[in-house]
Amino acid sequence: MGGKESKVDEKVHVNTSGGSRRTQKLLPSEDGVTHFSSTLESKGRELAKDTDGTYSVRIGFLANDSTLAKRELISRYVNGVPYAYCDMKLHNTINLDFLVKHIQVPAEPLSPAANLSSETYIGFHKVKVIVYFLGRERFRTITNSTLRQLDGLVGMYSTTSDYSLNWLKALLDEASQHTSDSCPLAIVADTIHEETHPTEVPREKGEKFAMDHGAVAFTETCSNDMSDRIDKLMEALITEIFRVQP
């Protein structure tokens, strides 16, 4: 699962959407994840920090597809197994469901393709990653102040539905009016239905969509994908969140 990897030539793209100018260079795909170097002119908001020194990173997961597909992919990242196969219960606050994962982030700046799972680095930050489920209906019922508290966004669409990609574009445009100009974004293409439905959104189109919207990383994957693509995508996003801190 996860689609065919593409060999992408280096490109330079300037994105002016969302209120912040981002200069991006498309980096070759590595292990199924395409990374983009991104330079934001404005800094992000300061991350919340617990008394024990643990940073809290709040990430909104935007998806128009079925709740099951969305939650299973997030559960793959948080628990290592799809949501349907784990006993972990969802948390709920401000009328939003979310899952939590604890990781360690190197204290020194990293390249976009750095591996946050490694424990060989010297000096690290403890981080609590909070992933909120933001479907179409739930997204439009939460307050603007809640959206402004997000530190990053992940947009998800289905590779078998061009409609889902168009819907994600509309939602990202709407979200950009309420989130910080420097709120990093990553894009994931869900391939769960490719065995039974024709592909409508090829990888190249998804990569261009991600680049046009100033994303820091893009991948094709699903909850049944046993690779670490979703982990690497989230690592790239969290690295960027720390980079744009004041």
Side-chain angles (χ1 to χ4, degrees), residues 104-175:
Q104 295 178 338
V105 175
E108 296 299 323
L110 295 174
S111 66
N115 183 5
L116 303 190
S117 300
S118 172
E119 297 182 358
T120 60
Y121 46 78
I122 300 176
F124 61 87
H125 298 305
K126 293 183 294 182
V127 180
K128 177 171 65 176
V129 183
I130 307 168
V131 186
Y132 293 99
F133 300 93
L134 299 178
R136 176 172 56 183
E137 296 79 10
R138 186 60 59 87
F139 173 80
R140 293 195 168 120
T141 60
I142 62 177
T143 64
N144 295 342
S145 61
T146 299
L147 287 173
R148 284 193 291 269
Q149 291 176 19
L150 295 177
D151 303 303
L153 288 171
V154 176
M156 171 179 152
Y157 69 89
S158 172
T159 58
T160 60
S161 172
D162 195 58
Y163 167 79
S164 71
L165 183 65
N166 292 332
W167 176 88
L168 179 59
K169 180 183 184 302
L171 188 56
L172 289 175
D173 290 343
E174 185 175 344

Side-chain angles (χ1 to χ4, degrees), residues 146-212:
T146 299
L147 287 173
R148 284 193 291 269
Q149 291 176 19
L150 295 177
D151 303 303
L153 288 171
V154 176
M156 171 179 152
Y157 69 89
S158 172
T159 58
T160 60
S161 172
D162 195 58
Y163 167 79
S164 71
L165 183 65
N166 292 332
W167 176 88
L168 179 59
K169 180 183 184 302
L171 188 56
L172 289 175
D173 290 343
E174 185 175 344
S176 68
Q177 301 175 29
H178 308 294
T179 54
S180 166
D181 287 344
S182 57
C183 183
L185 168 72
I187 300 294
V188 57
D190 184 26
T191 61
I192 192 68
H193 300 298
E194 283 193 349
E195 292 184 356
T196 56
H197 296 76
T199 299
E200 294 185 2
V201 186
R203 185 184 181 98
E204 292 76 12
K205 184 175 181 179
E207 286 178 334
K208 184 179 185 302
F209 177 87
M211 186 169 64
D212 288 345

Side-chain angles (χ1 to χ4, degrees), residues 48-107:
K49 197 172 184 180
D50 296 340
T51 55
D52 67 350
T54 300
Y55 287 92
S56 291
V57 172
R58 299 175 175 86
I59 296 174
F61 201 101
L62 306 175
N64 188 42
D65 294 82
S66 71
T67 300
L68 181 60
K70 176 175 54 179
R71 292 190 176 185
E72 287 207 341
L73 186 57
I74 297 175
S75 180
R76 166 66 70 187
Y77 166 66
V78 173
N79 306 310
V81 294
Y83 177 73
Y85 300 102
C86 72
D87 297 325
M88 187 174 184
K89 295 181 179 180
L90 290 173
H91 305 283
N92 184 282
T93 188
I94 55 176
N95 201 30
L96 287 177
D97 293 332
F98 64 93
L99 288 175
V100 175
K101 180 173 184 173
H102 292 270
I103 64 171
Q104 295 178 338
V105 175

